[in-house]
Amino acid sequence: MAEASLSETAMSGPPGELVSRLRVAPPPLLAVVPGLLAAAPRIPEPRLDLRELSAVPSQVRRVEPALVGLRVRARGDSLSARRLGVERTGTAVVFDPRGYAVTVSYLLLDAVQIEARLRGGRVVAARLVALDLDSGLGVVRLDDAGPWNPATLASSAGVAIGTATATAGVDEDGDLVHVTGSVHAIRKFSAFWEYMLDRALFVAPSVGGSWGGTAVVDAEGRVIGIVSLRLGEGPHVNMAVPAERLLQVRDELIAQGRVVSRPPRPWIGLQTVATSGGLYVEGFNDAGPARGAGFRRGDRIVKVDGVAVNSQEEFYERMWRRRAGDTIEVAVRLEETEVLIPVRSMDRHRLYRPVK
């Protein structure tokens, strides 16, 4: 608009005045001194040193300060030690500035000593605070003033198959391990130890090192899941517990040591395996009431409380309609014979109480 105003003003005056104005206008400086541009000093552009580039993705760098390695020693005479061993290692993710960190519950069963290895190499003691055996998560507290840099936890509700992720944890030497990948599947997951998630995240590829308790993060570095298992023959996938399972109850876990706002599930300690032919008894937990109830390995489970079941998921769903302490009637078939076995269930959390 400025050029248009000047032109209109100039054209409105007498012709001589217009010529005068054009004659007194100085020529551009570079037209008078054409070599000036070449002679002007150049400010060197900053060059990126490739050695300074981090090989760690940005979303992993965001969660890295919250990752600690765990070394757990369990009671040698405990039931969990027979299957999981006495010495266990994994990862925990700090989620509270007071030093509370989440990991998978099986690392912490029957723990008598817990140490946390920080990213700088420092080792601090930790103690078991809470177990949520329904979700498969556990909480420890790091016995040190910190300061602690908690991770940001976020619900996985908006996550879909193909969503980009990274999985990050700490190996047995205290070094960061990580891998970028994506969500491979989202579905139910059940396991032989009377465990089931209505919604689990499966991410691929799986992370190496001590993967139990490692963090699954989204593109912003927010923790959307805690890895529980590595599945498959290879290439493996990681099964992760969605972060909202902790978000919904974290204050309750810290205060109570377990979730008390929902009734405890009945547990009988019956280990099962599902095949195309149905659901079969595979074994027993030595502390569970099913061991002496009359089950035999190879029995096919056909009913729970008179209702037919054909899968592990149906077995759990039917049994969990009852409360801990109720007698569950399980019908099994071996060859042509159907036998009804009543089992007095129990609250599994009574076996693994955190020491306050």
Side-chain angles (χ1 to χ4, degrees):
M1 294 299 295
E3 293 179 0
S5 299
L6 176 60
S7 175
E8 292 170 0
T9 302
M11 293 299 292
S12 64
E17 183 178 350
L18 173 61
V19 172
S20 174
R21 291 181 184 180
L22 293 174
R23 285 177 177 173
V24 298
L29 181 59
L30 294 181
V32 177
V33 190
L36 182 61
L37 181 60
R42 294 178 179 270
I43 300 175
E45 296 182 0
R47 300 186 65 180
L48 187 63
D49 187 347
L50 295 180
R51 294 172 299 179
E52 297 178 358
L53 286 176
S54 174
V56 180
S58 60
Q59 65 268 43
V60 174
R61 292 201 300 270
R62 292 189 184 101
V63 76
E64 182 180 4
L67 302 178
V68 298
L70 287 186
R71 186 176 297 275
V72 179
R73 182 166 60 86
R75 279 200 341 262
D77 61 347
S78 65
L79 293 175
S80 66
R82 298 179 190 176
R83 180 174 291 274
L84 301 171
V86 174
E87 302 290 338
R88 308 167 193 169
T89 57
T91 296
V93 183
V94 177
F95 65 89
D96 185 285
R98 293 171 292 180
Y100 291 101
V102 61
T103 187
V104 285
S105 59
Y106 62 77
L107 283 179
L108 307 174
L109 299 180
D110 300 306
V112 294
Q113 182 181 27
I114 306 173
E115 290 183 342
R117 182 183 296 273
L118 310 186
R119 292 289 300 113
R122 188 161 58 97
V123 176
V124 301
R127 60 183 175 86
L128 175 61
V129 170
L131 292 172
D132 182 7
L133 300 177
D134 292 353
S135 68
L137 297 177
V139 175
V140 299
R141 186 172 188 180
L142 309 179
D143 288 335
D144 190 275
W148 303 110
N149 298 303
T152 299
L153 272 60
S155 171
S156 69
V159 172
I161 296 174
T163 297
T165 61
T167 306
V170 179
D171 67 12
E172 296 181 6
D173 298 321
D175 296 326
L176 178 70
V177 291
H178 61 89
V179 65
T180 56
S182 64
V183 176
H184 180 74
I186 303 173
R187 58 175 174 80
K188 281 186 177 181
F189 173 78
S190 64
F192 68 86
W193 58 90
E194 294 182 37
Y195 174 75
M196 184 171 72
L197 292 174
D198 290 335
R199 183 175 181 274
L201 305 178
F202 297 83
V203 296
S206 82
V207 72
S210 301
W211 34 263
T214 53
V216 177
V217 300
D218 61 13
E220 285 73 43
R222 301 175 303 176
V223 177
I224 58 173
I226 300 297
V227 170
S228 176
L229 300 169
R230 185 172 60 180
L231 305 174
E233 297 296 330
H236 300 286
V237 299
N238 283 143
M239 188 281 285
V241 181
E244 56 266 26
R245 296 300 298 264
L246 174 65
L247 286 168
Q248 295 163 357
V249 296
R250 58 181 173 184
D251 293 336
E252 194 173 358
L253 288 173
I254 291 172
Q256 303 291 337
R258 61 173 295 179
V259 178
V260 297
S261 60
R262 62 175 180 248
R265 288 173 173 172
W267 179 78
I268 62 175
L270 189 63
Q271 298 170 358
T272 59
V273 58
T275 71
S276 58
L279 183 67
Y280 294 87
V281 175
E282 184 182 43
F284 314 92
N285 186 301
D286 287 341
R291 182 165 187 81
F295 293 99
R296 295 167 297 181
R297 287 180 174 85
D299 284 349
R300 180 184 175 187
I301 299 171
V302 292
K303 295 178 184 176
V304 174
D305 290 336
V307 179
V309 295
N310 296 297
S311 67
Q312 212 169 49
E313 290 83 359
E314 291 177 355
F315 174 52
Y316 295 158
E317 288 169 353
R318 194 69 202 177
M319 187 167 59
W320 291 342
R321 294 187 181 190
R322 308 292 297 278
R323 288 177 175 263
D326 290 349
T327 297
I328 312 295
E329 293 186 340
V330 182
V332 299
R333 180 181 294 278
L334 185 61
E335 297 178 351
E336 300 300 322
T337 305
E338 184 174 305
V339 179
L340 185 65
I341 303 176
V343 189
R344 179 72 179 272
S345 65
M346 63 178 293
D347 176 6
R348 177 172 42 177
H349 283 84
R350 295 184 179 275
L351 299 175
Y352 308 105
R353 296 180 178 180
V355 178
K356 290 294 186 181

